[in-house]
Amino acid sequence: MDIVSALQAFLRVVETRSFSAAASDLGVTQPAVSRQVAALESHFNTRLLHRTTSGLSLTAEGERMLPMALHILESVEELGDAVGSDGTTASGKVRLSAPVPMGLYLSDRMGDLLSTHPKLSVELILREEPSDLIEEGIDLEVRLGEVADSSLICRRIGWTTAFLVASPAYIERYPAPRKPQDVSTHECICYSRAGNGRTWSFSSGSDEVAVRITPRLLSNSAVAVHRAALSGAGLAILSHIIAIPDIAAGRLVHVMKDFPPTRLPIYLVYPSRRNIPLRVRTVLDFLTTATQQDPSMCSSGEAEQRANLGGD
């Protein structure tokens, strides 16, 4: 039995929750994947997966094997990095998860990364909610706001900038809010990231003002909120990545400029591990540089320092 191939098959089955999907990802047949998982179970004399008509799930033994299997495969990848032609060539696939606005920002810059590293590939997963990194096989994830999971390694790579906006048609119907308390009387379109879509927080100098709202439209998709705002459905808080082009073109109006939405830290998180494969380090460095190149994702002090140095 090829233990590495068997572990790869096991992990892809766990990640996709399907033998056929795992086979498609690995470029082999479904029976081949089934044989590899069965061989792994036979080798360790234990059942790793529950197979039922409703789907697949890990047994207790499978749960214990999963992190160790990941560690073994990471070590194999690190060994491949170390004994490569020059020890500096990033190769293989990196699974990267990010919220939609950040994912769009990164995808615009992905061409430079891929052309610089021809043996590297990236699977960019756009989602609004945090992932289970280990179970889903995610190498890196961009998260907004504080990270509660102490088992993850977190690196702050920037800060969000958002605008309170509305369409010109909406502003014609309703006077623009002048202070945070005015917002609660408006039609509000809310982005329910991480389950919180009914409180908006704004900065007032060194203080923060939280406003409780009753959303007319609540969505877990930043794209849906953006489109609804363009349609004139109400006020919305949008990332600068999405909002700036529409503000510049007059499709959206930036309102209540003296009280901007509270900025959140942007974290890059990844599973706790001693050594990071070169392919993952390469994408990690790309993400860090990409955010630093946008002044709107720097802190106020960082942005001012960059301006003084002549940075973009």
Side-chain angles (χ1 to χ4, degrees), residues 31-81:
V33 171
S34 296
R35 286 195 298 270
Q36 287 174 324
V37 174
L40 195 64
E41 291 179 321
S42 177
H43 179 77
F44 290 104
N45 194 30
T46 188
R47 183 173 292 278
L48 301 173
L49 295 167
H50 290 301
R51 302 163 178 82
T52 67
T53 55
S54 60
L56 297 170
S57 62
L58 285 166
T59 64
E61 293 77 14
E63 291 277 5
R64 289 197 293 271
M65 176 176 283
L66 184 61
M68 291 183 282
L70 281 167
H71 178 72
I72 290 169
L73 291 178
E74 288 164 4
S75 298
V76 171
E77 290 170 352
E78 291 163 14
L79 180 61
D81 292 338

Side-chain angles (χ1 to χ4, degrees), residues 23-308:
S24 177
D25 283 356
L26 294 170
V28 299
T29 65
Q30 181 176 336
V33 171
S34 296
R35 286 195 298 270
Q36 287 174 324
V37 174
L40 195 64
E41 291 179 321
S42 177
H43 179 77
F44 290 104
N45 194 30
T46 188
R47 183 173 292 278
L48 301 173
L49 295 167
H50 290 301
R51 302 163 178 82
T52 67
T53 55
S54 60
L56 297 170
S57 62
L58 285 166
T59 64
E61 293 77 14
E63 291 277 5
R64 289 197 293 271
M65 176 176 283
L66 184 61
M68 291 183 282
L70 281 167
H71 178 72
I72 290 169
L73 291 178
E74 288 164 4
S75 298
V76 171
E77 290 170 352
E78 291 163 14
L79 180 61
D81 292 338
V83 300
S85 57
D86 58 6
T88 61
T89 302
S91 62
K93 183 171 74 173
V94 174
R95 302 190 78 217
L96 167 64
S97 174
V100 171
M102 191 65 177
L104 297 176
Y105 176 82
L106 295 173
S107 62
D108 286 340
R109 290 150 182 80
M110 201 64 73
D112 291 339
L113 172 70
L114 299 179
S115 62
T116 303
H117 303 279
K119 294 184 179 181
L120 181 71
S121 64
V122 177
E123 181 180 350
L124 180 57
I125 303 162
L126 302 185
R127 61 170 48 149
E128 310 295 352
E129 300 296 329
S131 308
D132 185 326
L133 302 189
I134 297 294
E135 183 170 337
E136 297 180 53
I138 304 295
D139 295 297
L140 296 166
E141 182 163 75
V142 178
R143 293 190 185 178
L144 309 182
E146 298 300 332
V147 178
D149 191 342
S150 60
S151 69
L152 298 175
I153 297 176
C154 303
R155 176 186 295 189
R156 184 173 62 78
I157 59 175
W159 294 83
T160 62
T161 292
F163 301 121
L164 182 66
V165 298
S167 71
Y170 179 84
I171 296 300
E172 286 181 6
R173 298 197 309 271
Y174 303 97
R178 296 180 178 275
K179 57 185 185 299
Q181 291 77 6
D182 297 340
V183 170
S184 60
T185 65
H186 277 262
E187 309 284 287
C188 296
I189 312 164
C190 299
Y191 166 39
S192 59
R193 183 186 62 82
N196 182 16
R198 293 174 173 81
T199 301
W200 281 350
S201 180
F202 301 93
S203 295
S204 174
S206 59
D207 298 325
E208 291 185 6
V209 180
V211 179
R212 188 73 176 172
I213 56 174
T214 303
R216 291 297 309 280
L217 175 63
L218 185 67
S219 175
N220 66 347
S221 167
V223 173
V225 170
H226 175 218
R227 292 172 72 98
L230 288 171
S231 77
L235 298 175
I237 292 178
L238 294 178
S239 164
H240 77 283
I241 297 168
I242 293 178
I244 284 178
D246 289 316
I247 293 172
R251 294 184 292 266
L252 290 174
V253 179
H254 181 193
V255 300
M256 212 170 72
K257 297 180 181 179
D258 291 337
F259 300 92
T262 300
R263 304 183 77 191
L264 300 174
I266 303 172
Y267 283 105
L268 192 56
V269 302
Y270 42 102
S272 209
R273 62 184 70 172
R274 188 168 50 188
N275 297 306
I276 304 175
L278 179 59
R279 60 183 172 83
V280 177
R281 291 202 307 272
T282 300
V283 177
L284 190 155
D285 291 340
F286 158 74
L287 293 169
T288 302
T289 300
T291 53
Q292 291 174 347
Q293 289 173 340
D294 185 338
S296 293
M297 283 192 258
C298 298
S299 68
S300 299
E302 290 168 342
E304 181 178 351
Q305 182 181 44
R306 289 175 54 122
N308 293 336

